[in-house]
Amino acid sequence: APDIDELRTRARTVHTWTGTALSVARRLHSMSAHMREERGPLDVNGLAAEAVDLCRYRCERENILLIADLSDGLPLVIAHPGELLQVMVNLVQNAREAIDRANGTDGGTIRLTTTGHEGGVCIAVEDDGPGVAADEVESIFAVGRSAKSGPGVGLGLPVSRRIAQRCGGSLSAEAGADEGARFLIDLPSE
């Protein structure tokens, strides 16, 4: 006869994984809805919070702390919500993969920050992974350039930069070899 405590444990596990699967499905549905939206004025913080939600599970599984530090009162920016969300998710995922390659199971920290400045908004994604060498801060945006040893064709950063440029902004990296990487999306306000 099955042990009642073991059955309860298994039932809790199924319940937890079902909740996780439903949560992921809801977030993916929300992201797909953003892909159908038109370019227009949008709140960067809402998309940043959504990007963090989409990436949190994988980060937690890899012992990576994902922090959102979102400033209040930011001006609206003109962008395609699905594309800007894609850029933020790509930068967080790149940071997660860099930390995982460098630190393995030791984990690390990723911080997504939004700040306002005269004329626009800055979105920063910082990590404590291996960083970017000073002589690579531009070459990492070249098509086909990938630091990944496995799947990866080197399109994420060039496409992300192009999306930022289409919004009238920029995407850049700051050097910090062995001190983590910092990617900055600078967008003009509406």
Side-chain angles (χ1 to χ4, degrees):
D3 179 16
I4 193 74
D5 289 333
E6 182 180 337
L7 289 174
R8 282 187 183 127
T9 300
R10 288 182 183 182
R12 276 194 289 276
T13 301
V14 167
H15 182 266
T16 299
W17 281 105
T18 302
T20 300
L22 286 172
S23 177
V24 168
R26 282 189 202 105
R27 289 192 305 259
L28 288 173
H29 182 266
S30 174
M31 186 173 184
S32 72
H34 282 310
M35 296 307 267
R36 293 186 297 271
E37 291 178 28
E38 297 294 320
R39 179 182 161 100
L42 60 89
D43 169 34
V44 167
N45 281 347
L47 286 180
E50 193 165 342
V52 167
D53 284 345
L54 284 165
C55 298
R56 185 174 308 284
Y57 176 74
R58 292 270 318 260
C59 288
E60 287 175 354
R61 294 220 8 133
E62 295 173 17
N63 198 28
I64 296 170
L65 178 61
L66 178 55
I67 299 168
D69 186 6
L70 311 178
S71 295
D72 292 328
L74 296 178
L76 298 178
V77 300
I78 302 294
H80 184 284
E83 289 181 352
L84 189 54
L85 179 61
Q86 176 187 346
V87 171
M88 288 188 263
V89 167
N90 180 57
L91 294 176
V92 171
Q93 295 290 47
N94 284 353
R96 181 188 57 75
E97 291 167 0
I99 289 171
D100 187 53
R101 279 192 310 276
N103 301 345
T105 58
D106 290 343
T109 302
I110 301 168
R111 181 181 302 271
L112 191 153
T113 306
T114 61
T115 54
H117 59 77
E118 189 173 322
V121 173
C122 183
I123 305 161
V125 177
E126 302 172 77
D127 67 64
D128 60 2
V132 178
D135 62 347
E136 293 183 346
V137 293
E138 277 306 310
S139 66
I140 60 174
F141 291 99
V143 173
R145 170 83 160 66
S146 178
K148 300 172 188 168
S149 57
V153 293
L155 290 175
L157 287 176
V159 168
S160 293
R161 178 175 261 184
R162 184 68 192 119
I163 290 169
Q165 291 169 339
R166 279 201 319 257
C167 296
S170 63
L171 170 60
S172 60
E174 292 182 351
D178 298 324
E179 298 174 13
R182 181 179 167 133
F183 287 84
L184 302 169
I185 307 164
D186 198 359
L187 301 172
S189 57
E190 175 183 26

